Amino acid sequence: MDFVNLLEYETAAKEKLSASALSQSVYDYYAGGAADEITLKDNRRSYDRIQLKPRVLVDVSRRSLATSVLDQQIALPVLIAPMAFQALAHSDGELATARAANAAGTIMIASTLATTAMEDIAKVFDNDLAKESGRGMWFQLYAYKDRELTRGLVERAVAAGSSALVLTVDAPVQGKRDRDMRNNFQLPAHVQIKNLLGKGGSATFPDGETGSGLAAYINNEFDSSFTWKDIEWLCSLTELPVVIKGVMCAEDALLAKEHGVAAVVVSNHGGRQLDTAPATIDVLTEIVDAADDKMEVYIDGGIRRGTDVLKALAYGAKAVLLGRPVLWGLAVDGERGVKNVLDILRNELDITMGLCGCTSIEGINSSVLASRFMV
Ligand code: FNR
Ligand code: LAC
């Protein structure tokens, strides 16, 4: 029998990846967070603490999970978070994830650090249904020190048909990840950062480093001097809506709004950057208030159950991004595993809506929260 929840996928993936020291280091890279992993754990704990309010005798015989992000129709309010190096989980890598996202009627955010070129991922969404819905791949950008390289990535994303640009802003330096340091985390020779291959950038980690090869890569390549002023430059490069991923306070949400950003993702990078940063759900309200309906607000970090999705929407998120469970599905069973992960979450959200008296995503608000949690 297939797994019945997302936690079982993690257990199975962990078992599978424990087969060798090399794959164990992949598991640690995927599962781990920064330093003591306090934020990583808090992302989950905070959802567990919030209580929902069951409602009875409401006609919930017809429920719809469909919604939109940036005017793109999606079948459920769950997008796939950008995650690097998916070929480490399965030989089909990002293509399997993209196919599963497309089959589920949602969007995959493809990482700059993907092990498949963005053009190949985008092709998966080149079909009538996705086009009619206006949805496609979104490209996640890391700003490189080499400005022309960064510009080139944006231009390629536009040409490939990306339907939004997601700039990740919470990694000017790499968080301290003890597991990766201990494991000397490296990419095997056949796994490369395909978006960078032959484009003048570095498609592999630097040679001869001990500790985390990824930390060395990021610290060599990413532009830690990038500021709000450069957001104006970025917006001038493209008509695509720009989304900023990694906003964790009202002050930065207000700046994002001033700079014409279309949406923000409330994210602490899955607890992988600044340890002891708050859980994302605990700062969502202040950011939704700051956005003041001028920007869409999404959230990620610790979403593992349909109840988590409903809680995030109740606090004002337009949609959520799903991270690690996608990698667990991919590691266990490729495209089928990712599709099943999305189907499980969809089914759990559907049940939760029925039990909270909700029939549409747009109808979800803080009244579904037990009274002491209402905002
Ligand atoms: C990430 N994340 C990430 N974010 C990003 O903007 N670009 C990237 O390349 C990556 N790479 C990446 C790799 C791995 C292995 C993980 C686990 C995460 C962060 C990701 O988009 C998201 O913010 C978190 O994973 C969400 O938290 P959960 O759902 O994993 O708890
Ligand atoms: C990570 C980087 C690649 O979290 O975003 O591993």
Side-chain angles (χ1 to χ4, degrees):
M1 175 171 170
D2 269 333
F3 305 107
V4 299
N5 63 47
L6 273 41
L7 308 167
E8 291 180 356
Y9 267 101
E10 167 153 18
T11 308
K14 183 175 185 180
E15 212 164 283
K16 192 163 177 181
L17 293 172
S18 304
S20 71
L22 184 68
S23 58
Q24 174 66 45
S25 80
V26 170
Y27 173 76
D28 277 339
Y29 166 64
Y30 283 171
D36 296 312
E37 304 188 337
I38 291 166
T39 299
L40 174 68
K41 293 185 198 104
D42 278 350
N43 274 349
R44 278 248 22 89
R45 280 191 202 126
S46 283
Y47 278 109
D48 288 346
R49 275 198 293 264
I50 299 166
Q51 295 172 343
L52 290 169
K53 179 165 65 182
R55 295 301 304 272
V56 298
L57 296 174
V58 180
D59 178 358
V60 291
S61 56
R62 286 151 65 96
R63 300 180 297 282
S64 167
L65 275 66
T67 184
S68 67
V69 281
L70 301 176
D71 292 325
Q72 303 174 35
Q73 308 304 312
I74 47 177
L76 74 170
V78 179
L79 284 68
I80 298 196
M83 284 174 292
F85 315 133
Q86 297 186 15
L88 296 176
H90 191 276
S91 55
D92 295 342
E94 289 83 4
L95 287 180
T97 306
R99 289 180 191 127
N102 179 60
T106 190
I107 288 163
M108 170 185 181
I109 310 177
S111 170
T112 293
L113 302 180
T115 43
T116 307
M118 63 173 106
E119 289 82 2
D120 295 330
I121 302 174
K123 266 188 216 137
V124 174
F125 297 92
D126 190 6
N127 58 71
D128 289 347
L129 202 62
K131 278 190 184 148
E132 264 166 43
S133 314
R135 86 185 131 73
M137 175 195 87
W138 290 6
F139 180 68
Q140 177 267 323
L141 177 72
Y142 276 126
Y144 280 73
K145 287 179 184 161
D146 179 341
R147 256 319 142 88
E148 287 314 301
L149 186 68
T150 309
R151 180 204 297 272
L153 287 168
V154 173
E155 287 171 357
R156 278 173 63 199
V158 173
S162 178
S163 45
L165 192 66
V166 180
L167 178 75
T168 299
V169 293
D170 58 10
V173 296
Q174 161 90 315
K176 181 167 180 285
R177 303 184 187 164
D178 294 2
R179 299 200 211 199
D180 296 347
M181 292 172 75
R182 180 123 16 250
N183 295 335
N184 294 314
F185 177 59
Q186 289 294 338
L187 295 180
H190 68 281
V191 172
Q192 291 165 318
I193 304 167
K194 288 285 168 53
N195 288 323
L196 277 287
L197 202 58
K199 306 286 171 191
S202 193
T204 54
F205 297 167
D207 283 337
E209 296 281 343
T210 51
S212 166
L214 176 61
Y217 180 89
I218 288 181
N219 296 335
N220 282 352
E221 302 288 332
F222 290 3
D223 183 2
S224 54
S225 74
F226 205 87
T227 68
W228 290 106
K229 201 154 173 33
D230 302 303
I231 298 291
E232 290 160 29
W233 169 77
L234 187 67
C235 291
S236 77
L237 295 182
T238 172
E239 301 280 295
L240 288 182
V242 171
V243 180
I244 290 193
K245 174 170 178 282
V247 169
M248 283 294 289
C249 62
E251 296 93 306
D252 283 340
L254 289 171
L255 284 164
K257 193 169 64 176
E258 268 170 37
H259 286 81
V261 161
V264 294
V265 184
V266 178
S267 176
N268 52 34
H269 216 103
R272 297 162 71 80
Q273 286 296 102
L274 177 63
D275 198 25
T276 72
T280 48
I281 191 70
D282 292 333
V283 295
L284 179 57
T285 304
E286 69 176 70
I287 293 165
V288 168
D289 288 349
D292 195 23
D293 287 332
K294 308 286 189 306
M295 303 184 293
E296 293 186 352
V297 178
Y298 320 129
I299 186 171
D300 73 16
I303 301 272
R304 301 293 179 265
R305 287 283 186 184
T307 45
D308 301 335
V309 181
L310 190 93
K311 288 169 188 176
L313 300 186
Y315 281 108
K318 184 97 174 79
V320 306
L321 275 51
L322 185 64
R324 292 178 183 84
V326 170
L327 299 174
W328 308 141
L330 187 62
V332 170
D333 208 5
E335 176 184 345
R336 191 171 164 275
V338 178
K339 180 66 171 39
N340 202 32
V341 160
L342 291 171
D343 285 346
I344 290 171
L345 199 59
R346 171 183 229 291
N347 179 247
E348 289 184 354
L349 175 60
D350 184 45
I351 293 170
T352 309
M353 285 171 65
L355 296 176
C356 289
C358 303
T359 55
S360 73
I361 297 299
E362 273 61 40
I364 296 171
N365 57 41
S366 75
S367 68
V368 302
L369 301 166
S371 27
R372 70 193 171 95
F373 295 93
M374 278 173 78
V375 285

